[in-house]
Amino acid sequence: DLADTQKLIQQVRLALEGGTLWLQYRNKSADKSLGLQQATALMRLCREFAVPLIINDSLDVALEIDADGVHLGAQDCLISHEKKKLGAEKIIGVSCYDNLQCALEAETEGADYVALGSFFASTVKPHAVRAPLKLLREAKERLRVPVVAVGGIDLHNAGLLVGAGADAVAVISALFNAEDIKETAKN
């Protein structure tokens, strides 16, 4: 969570220059005004790099800035209802934590991807439930939608998750706390 919009944009630009393929805007501490300001600035930046922008937990902001999609918590709402509001061409992802049944239901409801984890200790969510690595293998056997691994991911453990079946990994601290964000994104 970053209140300094200019610094946020500088860091994200470096991540995008390094090859980041998707960006999810998540700032739990921002008020509505700051959240909208930052999301709008990130949307312009993502368009410059032709990278999709997903808004975390705010369908209203996603709609207002015409973001590429929204990411929801498993308990947030019915995905099919959100999909109608957002539009069929937009992306909806759902956090399913360590729950394969949740992921299966999310796919049935129309989710375009599911996020599973936390696979490792995370400074962003230190008390998150830990998911076993075998969950990725099981998910890939049973789901048709992409599976994103989350939680404590860095350069040392990302390959393990991809090897276990993750289609993508979500990285926050290991990227944005790195000395060289662009180089870390490349790696």
Side-chain angles (χ1 to χ4, degrees), residues 45-145:
L45 185 60
C46 285
R47 290 290 182 254
E48 181 182 327
F49 283 85
V51 167
L53 176 65
I54 307 299
I55 305 297
N56 189 75
D57 285 337
S58 181
L59 180 64
D60 292 340
V61 171
L63 287 168
E64 188 159 342
I65 69 165
D66 194 28
D68 299 291
V70 66
H71 185 88
L72 306 169
Q75 69 285 352
D76 282 342
C77 46
L78 291 175
I79 297 160
S80 58
H81 182 255
E82 301 298 312
K83 193 80 158 177
K84 284 180 186 172
K85 286 183 180 178
L86 198 58
E89 75 285 357
K90 301 292 185 168
I91 300 164
I92 293 186
V94 180
S95 291
C96 295
Y97 314 102
D98 65 338
N99 187 332
L100 182 56
Q101 187 58 41
C102 168
L104 292 166
E105 290 170 13
E107 179 182 61
T108 299
E109 277 283 320
D112 298 294
Y113 72 91
V114 296
L116 296 173
S118 179
F119 287 97
F120 304 102
S122 167
T123 57
V124 175
K125 291 185 177 183
H127 303 294
V129 172
R130 288 286 190 73
L133 200 56
K134 70 178 183 173
L135 178 62
L136 289 172
R137 290 182 194 98
E138 292 171 12
K140 287 307 295 177
E141 289 173 5
R142 299 191 55 196
L143 293 168
R144 292 178 310 279
V145 297

